[in-house]
Amino acid sequence: DKIVSGTLTFDTTPPPGEYCFFKYSAEEMTPCAQLDLIPTEPFTSQSYVVYVFSRLVTSNRTVEIKAEYNTESYHTRFTKSLSVPVQSPFTCQFDYYSLDNVRIAPDSSFIHAGDAFLLRTDIRATSSFPIQLLMIDLNINETPSTMNRENDVVARMVASSFVANKNILLKKDNKYTVWFRIVPLSIGTIHLGSLFLEWKRPSTSKDSVYLNTTTQVTLPRITVQQSPFEVKINTPEYGVIGDIVTHTITVYNNTSVLQDFTLSVTEKSQYFLISGEKKAVFKVNPKNSFHIQHTL
């Protein structure tokens, strides 16, 4: 008999924090949970392409398809379930380095508040199809974790090696590395934030147009300690030619033990003559400071 009318209904139950929808085609963003069947002559068939969009990665997705149709002489319905494996198209590895490219452990004592460090991010493709990276953005202080108190500014990103509008195509096992320069501002074990990757499958023809997808990856926690010492220079806002200008160098000992310091000052300008100690060796008591003054 000829199928004169009918519907296909799609159903899935996403886990908490995720959504998923079905679409008629890759070009249309409008979700559809039901598809009307085209009238079909006996002994012929019709094909329907339906896209399922999943925001997060789970072990698998179960899709339930309910078919209901009418022929010229009867009505029928049936249900079929499909188990669809879901996987991330890439993996991310994070490593931390000092500014002179020495690798440091995230829980070591070498990450200090106020001192910049480098975050290296290796993005490796794991899917069987190519991945085109469109944007890589590091959102500092934005994390799904509640470890950071509300409105805490734990760090500041000052530079990134990622170049937008660059055609980055990763095939399976290919790797792309991006560097971030970060200054931590809070002390303790903190979450820096999240890495956001915008990507899509490249189109192979006009009939295979794929959506841009954004994947969020939470950065691992790091331990930030207070810097063992700080140096501040207090200089006047302006000077007058021929008049004396004084500046003060203050060294703070933030540790709980007595510290030895050596301070050297070098004249590198022909416009100033420095009067005062150009090299000093001194001790600073715990949680205390030492001042040196120079006259220019």
Side-chain angles (χ1 to χ4, degrees):
D1 286 352
K2 176 182 178 180
I3 296 178
V4 295
S5 64
T7 57
L8 290 176
T9 304
F10 312 98
D11 186 28
T12 183
T13 304
E18 182 179 9
Y19 69 89
C20 130
F21 61 78
F22 302 87
K23 307 183 327 73
Y24 284 120
S25 66
E27 295 90 341
E28 299 176 1
M29 288 295 295
T30 305
C32 68
Q34 184 171 289
L35 181 65
D36 293 329
L37 297 180
I38 301 173
T40 308
E41 296 294 331
F43 304 106
T44 61
S45 64
Q46 291 286 348
S47 298
Y48 302 90
V49 178
V50 178
Y51 293 81
V52 183
F53 180 81
S54 181
R55 171 64 67 183
L56 301 179
V57 177
T58 57
S59 57
N60 59 70
R61 167 79 61 238
T62 300
V63 179
E64 190 175 76
I65 304 173
K66 300 177 181 178
E68 185 173 356
Y69 60 90
N70 299 301
T71 68
E72 294 174 332
S73 55
Y74 64 89
H75 172 84
T76 189
R77 67 177 64 182
F78 66 88
T79 300
K80 185 174 183 179
S81 295
L82 300 177
S83 181
V84 182
V86 180
Q87 68 177 34
S88 176
F90 43 74
T91 60
C92 295
Q93 179 177 330
F94 303 100
D95 292 301
Y96 302 88
Y97 289 81
S98 63
L99 295 185
D100 52 357
N101 288 324
V102 176
R103 190 170 183 269
I104 55 179
D107 57 349
S108 70
S109 60
F110 296 100
I111 299 180
H112 298 132
D115 294 338
F117 67 91
L118 299 175
L119 171 64
R120 171 177 169 168
T121 303
D122 291 331
I123 304 166
R124 186 180 298 275
T126 58
S127 66
S128 57
F129 50 83
I131 291 294
Q132 183 178 358
L133 288 177
L134 306 173
M135 178 61 66
I136 302 174
D137 190 20
L138 185 63
N139 285 15
I140 297 294
N141 311 310
E142 293 188 16
T143 170
S145 170
T146 58
M147 171 166 284
N148 300 332
R149 295 188 300 274
E150 187 177 1
N151 298 325
D152 268 1
V153 180
V154 299
R156 176 169 52 91
M157 184 182 70
V158 295
S160 169
S161 67
F162 177 75
V163 179
N165 301 322
K166 184 178 180 181
N167 187 17
I168 304 173
L169 188 66
L170 299 181
K171 297 182 180 180
K172 187 174 183 179
D173 295 329
N174 287 168
K175 182 179 70 173
Y176 179 77
T177 299
V178 59
W179 293 82
F180 300 97
R181 182 168 176 169
I182 299 172
V183 177
L185 303 175
S186 296
I187 298 173
T189 301
I190 61 174
H191 278 296
L192 280 177
S194 298
L195 184 72
F196 288 83
L197 301 111
E198 185 179 354
W199 59 276
K200 71 174 183 178
R201 293 178 61 175
S203 302
T204 56
S205 67
K206 64 179 182 179
D207 297 326
S208 61
V209 180
Y210 297 101
L211 286 172
N212 293 359
T213 303
T214 300
T215 299
Q216 178 180 356
V217 182
T218 303
L219 297 176
R221 291 176 290 180
I222 64 171
T223 300
V224 180
Q225 297 187 356
Q226 187 177 31
S227 181
F229 68 92
E230 299 176 50
V231 178
K232 294 184 179 180
I233 302 177
N234 185 18
T235 60
E237 295 181 357
Y238 63 92
V240 178
I241 295 177
D243 288 351
I244 293 176
V245 176
T246 301
H247 77 261
T248 303
I249 301 175
T250 305
V251 180
Y252 297 88
N253 178 10
N254 295 326
T255 70
S256 58
V257 297
L258 183 69
Q259 297 285 357
D260 294 315
F261 291 91
T262 300
L263 177 65
S264 298
V265 179
T266 304
E267 292 181 349
K268 288 190 175 182
S269 173
Q270 59 179 329
Y271 302 106
F272 292 96
L273 294 175
I274 299 178
S275 175
E277 291 184 285
K278 296 183 180 180
K279 184 172 184 179
V281 178
F282 53 90
K283 298 178 183 293
V284 182
N285 289 322
K287 308 298 181 181
N288 215 317
S289 61
F290 185 85
H291 305 277
I292 293 182
Q293 194 173 79
H294 292 96
T295 301
L296 307 178

